């Protein structure tokens, strides 16, 4: 029996277990959307293509499955670019489909034609322009495999309209013909590295584990990490992407390190004699000036991507592979250690330099809002964040204990990410409470997705830490640009309550600290999207802070 | 430091964009790049001359190796590689200088492929150094046009 490309497309999605996707139709996608009309796939119509891809990304991060999104040709496709770059920087498995003009119209500046294949090369793990229907099924199999295998990432498939309508014989299930990756280390070298790491751990007096997003992505890696840390008594600091990879309530947890990390995490890194990086890539927001980073330490790097080893910092030993496998192997082989002196030094730092913020009479501290969300959800919520101060306060004050519960645009720092990502996360994990911790600036970047959430009954909560500023940029202007607040005052902010109501969501305005807990309780009780507009201290800053390009143990704090 | 990197890739439209795009995005300096099909029509060999220290070379190799289409990446050592480049050079001549240009061409084994009243066009393949030497001698006459392929290279089997 002959089948159209559109039919093959839908069948291949189903073969990959896709039951949810996010998208926005257009002229060249009509054949596929016609096929989706009666397909057993839940298609969430966003209000902007960027909303669709961030939602697919949030779905992927919350569930561990591949997120799927679709946009039409030209402007629809280019609207995906920020979402692709976001997923690429944070290694998120997303498969994005774009419609394209028919093959005979390619390359002649046809209506709504954009070279999304060329545009998306630097922001995808791989991408395809499918010119023959006979290739479609094979390409989709490859794409789903590539998105989730090895170091995950987004894959884009561009689908000309005629490729969707041409009928061909039902294609067989393809055998993958992708080039095989060769292992980075040969077995002898691998054994040598492993022995070296074990002896470094044996000799270390002041070890620290620095865990990144790889610990979240590699299923069960967090269990092995906990076992390793406890057995060898090694304190663990997690990056923004690694939050949830090690319980922040654990006595060995140092919280987050880096530019807005805890003092005790940064001091521990500065003073440690062994730093074990796992699933992390020595980002500049973590290291500050790399030549000053962990200067007293031997450095071990465990990562799935050999290109990350030695990219920023030269290491003393490395292993390449899944974080779970490497951590399990180390946890099995390592000898129990104590490190009492080191652990008590860290405990002293924790007592001396806890995260703290001023409590002002009658003014809502943004950090207090985050603490209350943590309290009222008993730490069980999935948190997404926007980008800026809201993101850093969320990272500092919401103690993550499980993987896939802290969802944020770390690498690209994409404003407007958190709300659509929350929609995707809630659809993927309907039994969890999902809070987007937002800023008034970021939230407005994809505020139109309120329609998506309300119409589809996606029960997400948006907590706006409304300070009337682009807060993080303003903070830098205050500290480094003589308080000249150039273009960071958000004059003309809307009434968020009316906006919420206009879309059919519930809006709650909170202006007094004593109303914060009850507002959060009420939002949680509602079986409906809720926007809570917290009017917070407008000039509160994120501290501690490492000035850009500095050493991470030289931190600024608020002047008392 | 200059390095010759030989990359075998799956041969399909777009593969060059992926390879070249990587070098642009990561700010690696390409001196030359030559691509052509191999003994296997499904495989293209790209020879890239890149400048940078050993750390840059290590990163280039690893990043190139990550590209989905890449089958193999080799760092060819200069002294263990056969390197060749083809150049076509048009030199300005007069009746008086024509003989000297042909004489130089003969010494280098360059072929005269075209001649007009006031130009001679030469073809030469050789190592980069041979090409540079020829150009140095032709420069005083005036080189009006030149095209070069960029270096291609293979590992020398006899030195393995």
């Amino acid at each position: 029996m002959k089948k159209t490309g559109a039919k093959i497309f839908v069948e291949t999605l189903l073969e990959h277990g896709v039951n949810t996707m996010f998208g926005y139709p257009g002229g060249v996608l009509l054949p596929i959307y016609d096929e989706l009309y009666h397909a057993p796939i839940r298609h969430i119509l966003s209000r902007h293509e960027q909303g669709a891809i961030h939602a697919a990304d949030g779905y992927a991060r919350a569930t561990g499955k591949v997120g799927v999104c679709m946009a039409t040709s030209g402007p629809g496709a280019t609207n995906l670019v920020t979402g692709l770059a976001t997923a690429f920087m944070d290694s998120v498995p997303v498969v994005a489909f774009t419609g394209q003009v028919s093959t005979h119209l390619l390359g002649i500046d046809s209506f709504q034609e954009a070279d999304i294949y060329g545009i998306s090369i630097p922001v995808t793990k791989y991408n395809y322009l499918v010119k023959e229907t006979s290739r479609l099924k094979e390409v989709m199999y490859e794409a789903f495999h590539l998105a989730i295998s090895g170091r995950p990432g987004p894959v884009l498939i561009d689908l000309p309209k005629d490729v969707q309508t041409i009928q061909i014989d039902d294609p067989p299930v393809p055998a993958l013909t992708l080039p095989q990756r060769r292992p980075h280390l040969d077995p002898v070298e691998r054994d040598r590295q492993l022995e070296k790491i074990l002896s470094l751990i044996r000799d270390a007096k002041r070890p620290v584990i620095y865990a990144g997003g790889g610990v979240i992505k590699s299923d069960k890696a967090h269990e092995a990490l906990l076992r390793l840390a406890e057995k060898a008594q090694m304190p663990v600091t997690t990056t923004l992407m690694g939050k949830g990879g090690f319980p922040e309530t654990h006595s060995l947890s140092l919280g987050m390190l880096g530019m807005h990390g805890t003092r005790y995490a940064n001091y521990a890194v500065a003073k440690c004699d062994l730093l074990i990086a796992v699933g992390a890539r020595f980002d500049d927001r973590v290291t500050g000036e790399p030549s000053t980073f962990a200067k007293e330490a031997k450095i071990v790097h465990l990562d799935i991507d050999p290109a990350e080893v030695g990219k920023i910092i030269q290491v003393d030993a490395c292993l390449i592979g899944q974080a779970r496998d490497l951590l399990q192997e180390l946890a099995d082989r390592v000898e129990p250690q104590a490190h009492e002196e080191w652990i008590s030094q860290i405990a002293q730092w924790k007592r001396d330099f806890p995260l703290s913020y001023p409590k002002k009479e009658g003014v809502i501290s943004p950090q207090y809002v985050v603490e209350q969300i943590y309290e009222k959800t008993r730490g069980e919520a999935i948190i997404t964040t926007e980008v800026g101060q809201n993101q850093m306060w969320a990272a500092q004050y919401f103690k993550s204990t499980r993987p896939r519960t802290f969802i944020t645009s770390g690498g690209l720092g994409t404003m407007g990410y958190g709300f659509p990502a929350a929609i995707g996360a809630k659809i993927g994990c309907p039994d969890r409470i999902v809070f987007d911790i937002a800023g008034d600036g970021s939230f407005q970047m994809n505020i139109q997705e309120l329609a998506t959430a309300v119409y589809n009954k996606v029960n997400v909560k948006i907590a706006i830490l409304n300070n009337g500023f682009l807060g993080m940029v303003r903070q830098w202007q205050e500290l480094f640009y003589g308080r000249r607040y150039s273009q960071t005052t958000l004059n003309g902010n809307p009434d968020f309550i009316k906006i919420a109501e206009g879309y059919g969501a519930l809006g709650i305005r909170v202006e007094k600290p004593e109303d914060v807990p009850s507002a959060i309780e009420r939002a949680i009780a509602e079986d409906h999207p809720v926007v809570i507009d917290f009017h917070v201290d407008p000039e509160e800053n994120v501290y501690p802070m490492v000035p850009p390009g500095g050493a991470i143990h030289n931190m600024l704090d608020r002047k008392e | 430091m200059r390095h010759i990197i030989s990359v075998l890739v799956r041969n399909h439209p777009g593969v060059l964009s992926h390879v070249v795009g990587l070098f642009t995005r990561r700010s690696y300096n390409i001196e030359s790049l030559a691509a052509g099909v191999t003994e296997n029509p499904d495989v293209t060999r790209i020879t890239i001359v890149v400048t940078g220290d050993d750390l840059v070379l290590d990163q280039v190799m690893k990043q190139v190796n990550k590209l989905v289409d890449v089958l193999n990446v080799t760092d060819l050592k200069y002294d263990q590689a056969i390197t060749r480049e083809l150049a076509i050079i048009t030199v300005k001549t007069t009746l008086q200088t024509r003989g000297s240009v042909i004489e130089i061409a003969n010494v280098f084994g360059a072929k005269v492929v075209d001649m007009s009243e006031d130009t001679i066009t030469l073809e030469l393949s050789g190592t980069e150094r041979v090409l540079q030497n020829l150009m140095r001698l032709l420069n005083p006459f005036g080189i009006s046009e030149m095209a070069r392929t960029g270096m291609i290279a293979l590992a020398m089997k006899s030195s393995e």
Side-chain angles (χ1 to χ4, degrees):
Chain A
M1 198 185 75
K2 297 248 182 202
K3 281 180 181 167
T4 64
K7 185 148 186 79
I8 293 166
F9 170 87
V10 169
E11 286 180 357
T12 311
L13 285 184
L14 292 171
E15 285 162 21
H16 286 86
V18 175
N19 54 24
T20 306
M21 63 187 293
F22 305 85
Y24 205 104
V28 296
L29 281 175
L30 284 165
I32 280 178
Y33 272 95
D34 193 48
E35 203 59 50
L36 283 170
Y37 191 69
H38 39 240
I41 294 176
R42 185 182 185 196
H43 179 285
I44 303 289
L45 175 67
S46 65
R47 290 299 182 275
H48 187 293
E49 290 86 352
Q50 196 183 102
I53 189 163
H54 288 334
D57 173 311
Y59 177 90
R61 293 193 208 212
T63 62
K65 294 191 270 189
V66 175
V68 178
C69 68
M70 187 153 64
T72 193
S73 63
T78 55
N79 276 343
L80 293 183
V81 172
T82 302
L84 291 169
T86 304
F88 190 48
M89 281 289 252
D90 291 345
S91 307
V92 180
V94 167
V95 174
F97 296 96
T98 48
Q100 182 55 279
V101 300
S102 285
T103 49
H104 70 279
L105 294 172
L106 275 171
I108 53 172
D109 309 312
S110 306
F111 176 66
Q112 291 196 327
E113 182 188 359
D115 173 22
I116 195 63
Y117 177 81
I119 291 168
S120 62
I121 287 173
V123 292
T124 52
K125 184 172 173 186
Y126 199 54
N127 62 0
Y128 300 88
L129 167 57
V130 183
K131 287 186 174 171
E132 289 126 20
T133 308
S134 59
R135 282 268 294 148
L136 176 60
K137 196 179 185 91
E138 181 188 357
V139 161
M140 287 175 69
Y141 267 78
E142 281 188 12
F144 276 89
H145 169 77
L146 283 170
I148 205 140
S149 64
R151 179 177 181 173
V155 180
L156 179 133
I157 302 178
D158 201 19
L159 297 168
K161 189 174 187 180
D162 54 343
V163 169
Q164 303 166 38
T165 53
I166 287 170
Q167 298 203 346
I168 60 163
D169 288 330
D170 198 5
V173 171
L176 291 184
T177 57
L178 288 164
Q180 289 299 308
R181 298 290 107 183
R182 287 157 305 143
H184 177 64
L185 301 173
D186 64 58
V188 177
E189 178 59 19
R190 191 185 185 285
D191 280 351
R192 208 181 66 83
Q193 295 285 334
L194 179 62
E195 290 306 324
K196 185 166 181 195
I197 293 167
L198 289 169
S199 94
L200 286 170
I201 295 175
R202 198 160 43 234
D203 296 343
K205 299 273 179 289
R206 303 184 305 279
V208 167
I209 298 174
Y210 146 47
V215 174
I216 308 290
K217 286 173 176 63
S218 180
D219 260 356
K220 297 205 163 75
H222 69 290
E223 291 171 4
L225 174 61
L226 183 63
R227 199 152 57 85
L228 173 65
E230 286 182 340
K231 191 172 173 189
Q233 285 296 296
M234 297 192 282
V236 180
T237 178
T238 44
T239 68
L240 184 64
M241 302 313 301
K243 257 181 83 73
F246 190 81
E248 291 182 286
T249 47
H250 195 286
S251 62
L252 285 171
S253 170
L254 296 163
M256 186 171 75
L257 79 167
M259 184 173 272
H260 293 294
T262 61
R263 275 189 182 265
Y264 38 94
N266 287 357
Y267 288 174
V269 169
K271 285 288 162 205
C272 69
D273 62 356
L274 173 65
L275 185 77
I276 302 176
V278 50
R281 60 180 174 82
F282 296 87
D283 180 83
D284 55 85
R285 285 299 189 266
V286 162
T287 62
E289 167 54 41
S291 63
T292 65
F293 184 71
K295 256 180 109 167
E296 299 176 17
K298 299 277 187 198
I299 301 206
V300 170
H301 198 172
L302 317 175
D303 207 284
I304 197 160
D305 181 355
E308 290 301 344
V309 178
K311 186 179 83 174
I312 307 289
I313 281 184
Q314 294 310 300
V315 303
D316 297 283
C318 72
L319 286 174
I320 303 301
Q322 280 285 349
R324 171 192 54 244
D325 302 342
L326 301 178
L327 288 167
Q328 278 173 354
E329 196 169 3
L330 286 180
D332 289 344
R333 296 275 314 267
V334 80
E335 295 155 25
Q337 314 269 323
H339 305 305
E340 278 157 16
E341 211 173 306
W342 179 231
I343 303 280
S344 81
Q345 166 69 77
I346 284 167
Q348 187 62 44
W349 282 330
K350 283 187 180 179
R351 281 191 296 276
D352 291 348
F353 310 107
L355 283 173
S356 68
Y357 60 91
K359 282 143 190 118
K360 297 183 198 162
E361 190 66 32
V363 180
I364 303 176
S365 295
Q367 298 94 330
Y368 174 66
V369 175
V370 177
E371 277 183 344
Q372 283 301 307
I373 293 173
Y374 177 75
E375 294 288 327
K376 298 298 172 196
T377 61
R378 292 187 293 279
E380 296 286 305
I382 293 178
I383 299 297
T384 72
T385 80
E386 303 290 341
V387 165
Q389 290 182 322
N390 61 80
Q391 179 184 33
M392 291 299 109
W393 285 320
Q396 290 178 332
Y397 290 90
F398 197 98
K399 293 185 188 67
S400 300
T401 53
R402 279 189 285 178
R404 304 196 179 282
T405 57
F406 192 86
I407 293 173
T408 189
S409 168
L412 198 67
T414 307
M415 285 177 71
Y417 169 80
F419 176 37
I423 294 175
K426 180 70 185 178
I427 288 172
C429 303
D431 299 334
R432 305 294 293 273
I433 298 170
V434 179
F435 260 92
D436 171 32
I437 295 180
D440 44 321
S442 294
F443 180 48
Q444 289 183 72
M445 282 207 181
N446 274 314
I447 198 166
Q448 77 288 342
E449 298 307 325
L450 275 168
T452 313
V454 171
Y455 174 72
N456 292 289
K457 302 188 169 55
V458 187
N459 180 9
V460 292
K461 318 299 176 191
I462 301 109
I464 309 174
L465 308 178
N466 185 348
N467 56 10
F469 281 115
L470 295 174
M472 187 58 92
V473 186
R474 188 206 53 73
Q475 175 170 339
W476 284 49
Q477 288 172 333
E478 177 186 332
L479 297 172
F480 311 120
Y481 290 88
R483 292 178 179 266
R484 291 180 296 279
Y485 295 163
S486 179
Q487 303 299 319
T488 45
T489 313
L490 289 174
N491 295 321
N493 263 351
D495 179 334
F496 288 108
I497 307 309
K498 283 189 181 161
I499 294 272
E501 287 167 355
Y503 277 105
L506 175 67
I508 307 173
R509 180 177 292 112
V510 185
E511 291 169 318
K512 287 186 264 172
E514 57 269 30
D515 295 336
V516 170
S518 59
I520 293 169
E521 280 169 7
R522 185 174 167 212
I524 293 169
E526 285 285 333
D527 186 22
H528 205 69
V530 182
V531 177
I532 325 175
D533 183 18
F534 292 102
H535 287 242
V536 300
D537 187 354
E539 294 201 53
E540 177 56 7
N541 287 339
V542 182
Y543 289 116
M545 177 184 191
V546 179
I552 62 168
H553 54 277
N554 294 326
M555 307 186 79
L556 301 177
D557 239 313
R558 68 175 54 75
K559 293 173 187 71
E560 298 299 341
Chain B
M1 262 274 279
R2 303 168 78 228
H3 306 275
I4 314 167
I5 299 175
S6 183
V7 189
L8 293 176
V9 295
R10 296 197 292 177
N11 180 14
H12 70 83
V15 69
L16 265 183
S17 299
H18 278 102
V19 175
V20 175
L22 172 70
F23 279 77
T24 315
R25 184 163 79 82
R26 300 250 175 219
S27 304
Y28 304 140
N29 290 319
I30 300 186
E31 226 166 80
S32 75
L33 182 148
V37 78
T38 63
E39 73 286 355
N40 177 350
D42 296 331
V43 175
T44 293
R45 183 185 297 278
I46 306 177
T47 310
I48 303 167
V49 180
V50 59
T51 49
D53 57 22
D54 286 350
L55 291 180
V56 171
L57 176 72
D58 180 58
Q59 266 294 304
V60 170
M61 301 276 291
K62 285 173 172 173
Q63 294 290 355
V64 171
N65 208 18
K66 254 165 70 169
L67 294 173
V68 169
D69 289 307
V70 167
L71 304 164
N72 184 279
V73 191
T74 324
D75 168 26
L76 294 176
K77 307 276 179 272
Y78 263 95
D79 54 351
Q80 292 158 29
I82 302 153
T83 68
R84 286 293 180 274
E85 191 173 356
L86 174 67
I88 305 172
I89 310 162
T90 300
V91 190
K92 292 177 195 157
T93 52
T94 60
L95 275 178
Q96 288 73 37
T97 63
R98 185 184 281 166
S100 311
V101 171
I102 292 173
E103 196 176 310
I104 293 168
N106 285 340
V107 169
F108 280 85
K111 239 167 50 183
V112 175
V113 287
D114 188 30
M115 192 182 286
S116 70
E117 286 80 2
D118 52 4
T119 65
I120 288 182
T121 301
L122 303 174
E123 167 204 314
L124 178 67
S125 85
T127 62
E128 203 173 24
R129 182 189 229 151
V130 169
L131 261 55
Q132 269 162 5
N133 286 344
L134 174 66
M135 243 107 64
R136 187 164 48 81
L137 291 174
L138 294 177
N139 252 332
F141 302 97
I143 293 175
S144 69
E145 270 190 310
M146 176 172 74
R148 290 172 68 163
T149 55
M151 186 193 294
I152 56 169
L154 282 181
M156 204 183 284
K157 294 292 172 197
S158 57
S159 73
E160 270 174 6

